[in-house]
Amino acid sequence: MGNIKIEENKICPKCGKTEGQNNFGFNRSGTQRCRCKECGCTYTLEPKRRAYPEEVRGLAIKEFYAGVSGRGVGKIHGMSGSNVYNWIKKNRSGVDK
Ligand SMILES: [Zn+2]
């Protein structure tokens, strides 16, 4: 009884099991790797990331200033226009050149 330790947040991407997910070292970028006892696959536990990487953000802002509308930029990158406008706003208040 109570022998099974269920580690939270570990779900096998292949079979969806949460039990038997063991630590399996780390990959090059220091991300925890896990191994599923059930199906034997290994996978990395991704730390929570930002929704969009910095490059996409920079690109979106550039495109906006190049004359693309916020909605247009959103379409290019598959995000909402309001997201783009948010970045523009932040960009303006942050870096004022
Ligand atoms: Zn599995």
Side-chain angles (χ1 to χ4, degrees), residues 11-17 19 21 35-41 43:
I11 296 178
C12 174
K14 260 197 183 164
C15 66
K17 285 253 181 191
E19 310 103 76
Q21 308 301 310
R35 186 166 186 275
C36 175
K37 240 164 123 183
E38 205 64 34
C39 68
C41 75
Y43 58 96

